[in-house]
Amino acid sequence: MTLLAYNSPATHASCPRRSISTPPTGIGTGRRRQSRILTHAGRRRQSRILTHAGRRRQSRILTDAGRRRPGRILTGAGLALLPWLGYLAGTLPPAEAAAWVTLDTLEATALLITGTRLLRRDPRHRIPAAAAALLLLTDACLDLATATPGTELTTALAMAAVAELPLAALCATLAACPAHPAAAPHSR
């Protein structure tokens, strides 16, 4: 009862309020609407409310120039892993070789797919880029965890700092970028 009296226009003539049962109007239309807000001091101020559908999303969109260089880097890294796979298969014991060769094959595949899709301006680069980022991060962690102290650990740290983590960061950035503007639907 108090709530109804509080919401009645007669109680607050200077600041009419909607009752609870009145549905809001204009929600989801994407248009701006004017509203009057009563501040704590009792003064009215004008404000613009932007509905959920009307919000603009600020994002970076990859341009053609922004795709070429990362595409070349990732394709080159994927191709550089191919001779490395042969080296691992020939030097490691069979049980270890199977695990490392499989991991590095998955990395090379994800890097090559991401790089070639970027070079071909294919907007479907995000999923293989995310997979490559995860695989590179996993490889860096496993290298550091299994390395013995000394030259192995130093090599694992150098590989993580110079190659694996920067490539993982690049792939994560590419996975977060939206598709090419030409591939997005045009709105008029």
Side-chain angles (χ1 to χ4, degrees):
M1 189 68 137
T2 307
L3 187 58
L4 291 176
Y6 181 74
N7 284 331
S8 70
T11 308
H12 299 286
S14 63
C15 184
R17 297 176 184 243
R18 283 192 199 123
S19 68
I20 294 175
S21 63
T22 307
T25 58
I27 291 181
T29 60
R31 292 184 230 143
R32 291 183 179 187
R33 57 187 163 103
Q34 295 288 327
S35 68
R36 292 185 176 197
I37 298 174
L38 189 61
T39 61
H40 288 290
R43 290 175 264 155
R44 289 183 186 168
R45 67 180 175 134
Q46 296 289 327
S47 68
R48 289 190 175 166
I49 298 174
L50 194 58
T51 61
H52 179 68
R55 288 187 190 143
R56 290 186 180 184
R57 182 175 173 211
Q58 298 293 328
S59 63
R60 282 185 6 189
I61 296 177
L62 275 177
T63 61
D64 286 338
R67 288 173 182 261
R68 267 186 239 125
R69 187 171 183 188
R72 289 178 184 152
I73 291 170
L74 295 178
T75 304
L79 290 173
L81 277 175
L82 297 178
W84 178 249
L85 294 173
Y87 172 76
L88 288 177
T91 58
L92 291 176
E96 287 182 37
W100 287 110
V101 168
T102 302
L103 178 62
D104 286 348
T105 301
L106 291 172
E107 282 177 29
T109 304
L111 289 170
L112 287 170
I113 291 172
T114 304
T116 54
R117 284 186 180 179
L118 285 171
L119 290 173
R120 288 185 292 141
R121 297 183 185 103
D122 189 345
R124 299 172 300 154
H125 67 275
R126 295 174 75 180
I127 292 173
L134 182 64
L135 289 167
L136 286 163
L137 186 62
T138 302
D139 191 10
C141 290
L142 287 175
D143 282 343
L144 292 173
T146 58
T148 57
T151 57
E152 266 189 47
L153 184 59
T154 305
T155 305
L157 281 170
M159 288 293 292
V162 173
E164 293 164 344
L165 295 180
L167 281 174
L170 175 63
C171 289
T173 303
L174 290 170
C177 287
H180 185 36
H186 296 288
S187 61
R188 292 187 183 208

